C-alpha cells in the first residue's frame, strides 16, 4: 500500500511541474523514480526510456505504466498512470478558457521561450548520466560506437528513432552478451 502512495507521488510531481510534455518530464520522472524512491537504477531507467521511445504515444504515460507495474503490479500501473494524467487533465479543464484567451500573448510566448533553455539543460544532464552509465557498464569503445552511429543515423540518414533504438538493442544483444 505504501508503494502505491510513493508511486502516486513519484508521478504526480513531474505531472504538475513538467511543463512542456514528455521531454520536460523525463528528467523529473528520473529524479523521482531513481533518486528519491529507488524504484529503478539509472541503467534500468535508461532501458525503460529507450523502450518507451520506441513505442507510439506519450512517453510519460508509457513509463508510468511500466514502472508502476514493475513496482506494484496492475494496481501500481493504474496509480502511476492516474498520477501522470490527472494534473494535466485538471489544468486543462480549469484553465482552458484562460489559455484560449492569452494563447497569442507576447508575455506567454516569452515565458515559453525562457523555459526552453532550462528543459534543454535538464535533458543534457540526463543524457550525460546515460552516457556515463553506458561507459561504466559497456566500456568506452562500445559507448563511442553507439553514440556516433546513433548520431549519424538520426541526423544524417534521418532514420526514425525507433529503428535506431532497435538497432542499439540488437547491437547490445549481439556484442555485449
Amino acid at each position: 500500500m505504501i508503494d502505491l502512495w510513493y508511486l502516486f507521488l513519484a508521478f504526480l510531481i513531474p505531472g504538475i511541474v513538467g511543463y512542456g510534455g514528455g521531454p520536460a518530464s523525463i528528467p523529473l520522472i528520473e529524479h523521482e523514480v531513481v533518486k528519491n524512491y529507488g524504484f529503478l537504477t539509472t541503467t534500468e531507467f535508461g532501458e525503460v526510456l529507450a523502450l518507451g521511445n520506441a513505442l507510439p504515444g506519450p512517453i510519460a504515460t508509457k513509463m508510468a505504466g511500466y514502472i508502476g507495474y514493475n513496482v506494484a503490479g496492475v494496481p501500481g500501473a493504474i496509480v502511476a498512470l492516474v498520477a501522470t494524467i490527472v494534473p494535466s487533465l485538471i489544468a486543462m479543464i480549469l484553465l482552458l478558457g484562460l489559455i484560449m484567451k492569452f494563447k497569442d500573448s507576447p508575455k506567454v510566448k516569452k515565458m515559453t521561450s525562457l523555459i526552453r533553455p532550462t528543459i534543454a539543460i535538464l535533458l543534457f544532464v540526463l543524457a550525460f548520466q546515460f552516457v556515463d552509465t553506458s561507459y561504466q557498464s559497456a566500456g568506452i569503445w562500445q559507448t563511442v560506437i553507439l553514440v556516433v552511429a546513433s548520431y549519424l543515423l538520426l541526423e544524417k540518414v534521418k532514420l526514425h528513432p525507433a529503428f535506431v533504438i532497435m538497432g542499439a538493442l540488437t547491437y547490445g544483444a549481439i556484442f555485449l552478451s
Side-chain angles (χ1 to χ4, degrees), residues 6-7 17 20 29-30 39 55 64 84 91 98 100 104 133 138 150 152 163 170 177:
Y6 291 142
L7 267 172
V17 298
I29 293 170
E30 188 264 344
F39 294 141
L55 300 170
T84 301
L98 192 62
M100 294 307 290
D104 295 323
T133 302
S150 297
L152 292 173
F163 295 119
T170 304
S177 19

Side-chain angles (χ1 to χ4, degrees), residues 121-172:
I121 293 299
L122 289 170
L123 289 172
F124 173 77
V125 169
L126 186 63
F128 179 78
Q129 289 172 345
F130 288 156
V131 168
D132 184 48
T133 302
S134 175
Y135 164 72
Q136 290 176 11
S137 63
I140 186 71
W141 293 112
Q142 301 295 342
T143 301
V144 168
I145 289 168
L146 287 169
V147 166
V148 170
S150 297
Y151 175 78
L152 292 173
L153 291 171
L154 289 168
E155 295 299 320
K156 302 297 182 194
V157 178
K158 304 291 185 198
L159 191 62
H160 191 277
F163 295 119
V164 176
I165 292 168
M166 289 185 328
L169 288 170
T170 304
Y171 179 87

Side-chain angles (χ1 to χ4, degrees), residues 34-101:
V34 174
K35 293 183 177 78
N36 276 0
Y37 297 108
F39 294 141
L40 300 174
T41 65
T42 302
T43 302
E44 292 169 332
F45 184 82
E47 291 168 359
V48 170
L49 179 61
L51 289 171
N53 272 323
L55 300 170
I59 185 73
T61 54
K62 291 180 284 192
M63 293 178 73
Y66 177 83
I67 294 168
Y69 185 82
N70 195 36
V71 170
V74 173
I78 293 169
V79 165
L81 282 168
V82 166
T84 301
I85 295 167
V86 165
S88 298
L89 182 64
I90 291 172
M92 283 190 325
I93 291 169
L94 296 176
L95 301 174
L96 186 59
L98 192 62
I99 291 170
M100 294 307 290
K101 183 177 179 182

Side-chain angles (χ1 to χ4, degrees), residues 9-37 45 63 118-119 122-123 126:
L9 290 177
F11 286 96
L12 180 70
I13 293 167
I16 291 171
V17 298
Y19 180 83
S25 298
I26 291 169
L28 302 171
I29 293 170
E30 188 264 344
H31 179 77
E32 294 297 321
V33 302
V34 174
K35 293 183 177 78
N36 276 0
Y37 297 108
F45 184 82
M63 293 178 73
T118 304
I119 293 169
L122 289 170
L123 289 172
L126 186 63

